[in-house]
Amino acid sequence: MAKSIICKHYQRILSQWPVDLLRPEVSFQKTIQRRIDTQLKHPTTPPQDNVVSNQTQASVQISRPFNEQSELEQVNVLYSFLENRYTKIYPLSERTMKPASNPKYYDDLLKELNEAPTRSWFQSMVSRWKGFLRFS
C-alpha cells in the first residue's frame, strides 16, 4: 500500500472527525494534518530538533523512517474511535450510568456540556457561582 492511500485514509478520517465545541482552539484535525504534511507528504525534508549545548544552538535531524504497518495500525485505531467500536464491545451498564448516589449525574453532565459552548460570559459566571453556592 502506498503513502497516498494512507494519506487518503487520514483525509477521510479528518473529514468525519467531530469538532470540539468546548475547546475550539485545540484542533485534533490540525494536529493530524500537520503530521500528514510533515511525515507523509514531504518526507524528503526530515524534521529538525534544535539542541542547545554550551550556549551554541545546533539543528539535529531526526530520522523517522516511514513504517507502513505502523501507519496502518494508527489509521485503524482512529477508525475505531470514529465508529465507536469500544462502546459497542464494552457497553456501560445502567447501574454505571445511573449511580445510586446521584442517578441524574450523567444526564445533567451531558446537558451542561451541550449548553456550555453557546453560553454568554454572564451566563457562564452565573453557572460558576451556582456551582459554588448550592441551594438544594
Side-chain angles (χ1 to χ4, degrees):
M1 196 179 288
K3 288 183 183 182
S4 64
I5 294 174
I6 292 174
C7 283
K8 287 179 184 178
H9 279 296
Y10 275 121
Q11 293 300 330
R12 181 173 178 264
I13 289 168
L14 292 179
S15 69
Q16 295 178 355
W17 201 268
V19 176
D20 187 357
L21 297 176
L22 291 177
R23 297 177 297 163
E25 69 280 353
V26 179
S27 174
F28 179 75
Q29 289 89 340
K30 287 181 186 175
T31 304
I32 295 298
Q33 187 62 51
R34 192 173 326 117
R35 183 176 183 277
I36 292 168
D37 292 342
T38 58
Q39 299 236 338
L40 298 177
K41 289 187 178 177
H42 307 293
T44 56
T45 58
Q48 295 183 352
D49 190 13
N50 292 327
V51 178
V52 177
S53 176
N54 297 332
Q55 282 75 30
T56 307
Q57 185 172 1
S59 293
V60 179
Q61 300 216 349
I62 302 171
S63 60
R64 293 186 184 118
F66 176 74
N67 183 342
E68 183 178 338
Q69 183 65 31
S70 173
E71 292 296 328
L72 287 173
E73 287 172 0
Q74 291 178 30
V75 164
N76 186 31
V77 168
L78 291 174
Y79 275 127
S80 71
F81 287 141
L82 271 177
E83 298 166 358
N84 285 330
R85 286 184 207 163
Y86 304 107
T87 304
K88 295 172 186 172
I89 295 172
Y90 307 106
L92 295 174
S93 68
E94 187 69 24
R95 191 172 167 198
T96 303
M97 293 305 295
K98 300 205 183 292
S101 61
N102 189 357
K104 292 184 359 176
Y105 176 77
Y106 290 108
D107 295 332
D108 293 343
L109 179 63
L110 280 175
K111 180 182 168 195
E112 183 78 18
L113 290 173
N114 289 330
E115 291 174 356
T118 59
R119 276 195 201 125
S120 69
W121 178 84
F122 181 73
Q123 290 171 324
S124 296
M125 294 308 289
V126 168
S127 293
R128 182 177 292 170
W129 279 103
K130 281 183 184 177
F132 289 133
L133 308 171
R134 300 191 188 248
F135 293 115
S136 56

